[in-house]
């Protein structure tokens, strides 16, 4: 992490003060866990948010079936803190995006003053760094109305803060059930160990150089028990493609990464 400016202690109320005069400020943790507060425009240019720990813990909601946990990222080879099943699903999507180079859960708190001069704050659930150096701050609601009016107003403020520096803020819409289930299945094969023995991945890519049914292409390479994990690994990493909006099964068509079949673009699979 690179940062400029000195750390400022939090107030006794547990919230850092925002300088008079307006604008956004950022609060994050330095490598030894101390809170640092900087002007947002400065922090966005100098701080590697993708390398930071969560600035505050994800809440644990009694009675909820899925609580905070860790997602192993194939993009970075490190764990990312996730606070909900909805967030884990969005992490799967971003982890497959070839333009994403870094991911972090809740690495920064944004502070600002509303039109009555009151200090407001919000911690976006997710940060993604793109290959061009820009960033995405995102929240992952389980349904469109999640968070209520406070979340809507915070979204407007965070969107303005991101627009100020050429970044993006989004409330990421939940995925459809079929797409989410397919991504969850493929995610189980994202680790490099599923690339198989030397020479197997090239053979798989050659087998699906032209679109063909999944099992047919697998059996053309060898034992499905050995070959299927390699195919799923290649699908996760977009070296092969298929229609992920339809249920995966043994007859689904699989093709090369740039295949534009089934009325979709090659990047969709």
């Amino acid at each position: 992490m690179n940062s400029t400016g000195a750390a400022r202690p939090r107030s006794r109320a547990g919230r850092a003060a925002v300088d008079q005069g307006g604008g956004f400020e950022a609060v994050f943790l330095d490598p030894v866990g101390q809170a640092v507060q900087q002007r947002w425009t400065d922090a966005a240019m100098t701080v590697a948010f993708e390398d930071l720990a969560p600035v505050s813990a994800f809440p644990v909601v009694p009675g909820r079936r899925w609580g905070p946990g860790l997602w192993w990222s194939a993009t970075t080879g490190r764990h990312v803190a996730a606070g909900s099943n909805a967030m884990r699903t969005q992490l799967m999507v971003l982890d497959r995006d070839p333009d994403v180079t870094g991911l972090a859960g809740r690495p920064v708190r944004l502070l600002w003053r509303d039109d009555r001069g009151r200090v407001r704050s919000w911690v976006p659930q997710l940060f993604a760094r793109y290959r061009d150096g820009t960033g995405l701050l995102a929240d992952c609601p389980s349904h469109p109305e999640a968070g209520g009016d406070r979340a809507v107003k915070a979204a407007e403020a965070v969107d303005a803060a991101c627009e100020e520096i050429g970044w993006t803020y989004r409330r990421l819409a939940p995925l459809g059930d079929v797409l989410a289930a397919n991504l969850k299945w493929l995610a189980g094969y994202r680790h490099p160990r599923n690339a198989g023995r030397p020479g197997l991945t090239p053979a798989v890519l050659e087998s699906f150089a032209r679109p063909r049914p999944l099992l047919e292409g697998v059996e053309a390479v060898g034992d499905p028990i050995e070959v299927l994990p390699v195919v799923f690994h290649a699908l996760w990493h977009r070296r092969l493609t298929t229609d992920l909006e339809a249920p995966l099964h043994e007859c689904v068509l699989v093709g090369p990464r740039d295949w534009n079949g089934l009325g979709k673009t090659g990047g969709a699979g």
Side-chain angles (χ1 to χ4, degrees):
M1 178 191 73
N2 296 318
S3 61
T4 60
R8 283 182 260 174
R10 295 187 177 187
S11 65
R12 291 182 181 178
R15 180 189 298 177
V18 179
D19 289 339
Q20 294 290 346
F24 295 94
E25 298 213 355
V27 177
F28 52 92
L29 301 182
D30 68 14
V32 296
Q34 294 297 309
V36 177
Q37 183 174 328
Q38 286 184 357
R39 189 181 301 275
W40 163 241
T41 52
D42 294 337
M45 295 300 294
T46 60
V47 176
F49 291 118
E50 61 270 37
D51 294 335
L52 300 186
V55 70
S56 62
F58 285 98
V60 176
V61 181
R64 187 170 289 178
R65 292 174 57 190
W66 201 95
L70 296 173
W71 169 264
W72 184 83
S73 168
T75 298
T76 66
R78 296 182 296 184
H79 285 98
V80 181
S84 66
N85 191 43
M87 182 179 173
R88 184 187 66 173
T89 299
Q90 299 298 344
L91 277 170
M92 287 193 296
V93 175
L94 290 167
D95 205 14
R96 287 189 77 232
D97 188 335
D99 291 326
V100 171
T101 61
L103 293 164
R106 303 194 94 187
V108 61
R109 179 188 302 275
L110 285 175
L111 304 171
W112 68 94
R113 290 185 183 273
D114 65 15
D115 53 9
R116 298 175 61 181
R118 297 172 298 188
V119 174
R120 299 299 186 196
S121 73
W122 189 258
V123 184
Q125 290 178 294
L126 183 58
F127 173 78
R129 178 77 67 185
Y130 289 107
R131 198 171 301 281
D132 64 2
T134 60
L136 167 73
L137 288 176
D139 286 304
C140 310
S142 58
H143 56 87
E145 295 78 27
D149 185 60
R150 180 171 180 264
V152 171
K153 292 181 177 178
E156 293 173 353
V158 178
D159 183 60
C162 287
E163 185 176 1
E164 188 176 290
I165 58 171
W167 287 10
T168 302
Y169 169 79
R170 294 206 307 267
R171 277 172 63 88
L172 299 170
L175 303 186
D177 290 344
V178 172
L179 177 57
N182 286 340
L183 286 179
K184 183 177 179 180
W185 177 264
L186 294 181
Y189 298 90
R190 67 191 184 278
H191 195 277
R193 63 175 172 263
N194 292 295
R197 57 180 167 79
L200 195 51
T201 292
V204 162
L205 299 181
E206 177 62 26
S207 182
F208 291 100
R210 291 187 178 183
R212 65 195 302 186
L214 171 61
L215 190 58
E216 177 186 303
V218 167
E219 291 179 333
V221 177
D223 183 352
I225 293 177
E226 179 184 31
V227 178
L228 273 171
V230 181
V231 174
F232 294 143
H233 182 74
L235 283 168
W236 170 267
H237 287 280
R238 297 175 181 260
R239 302 188 70 182
L240 295 175
T241 190
T242 189
D243 182 7
L244 293 180
E245 298 287 351
L248 288 174
H249 53 81
E250 64 181 16
C251 294
V252 68
L253 291 178
V254 175
R257 72 166 78 212
D258 57 352
W259 176 43
N260 293 321
L262 302 176
K264 61 180 179 60
T265 62

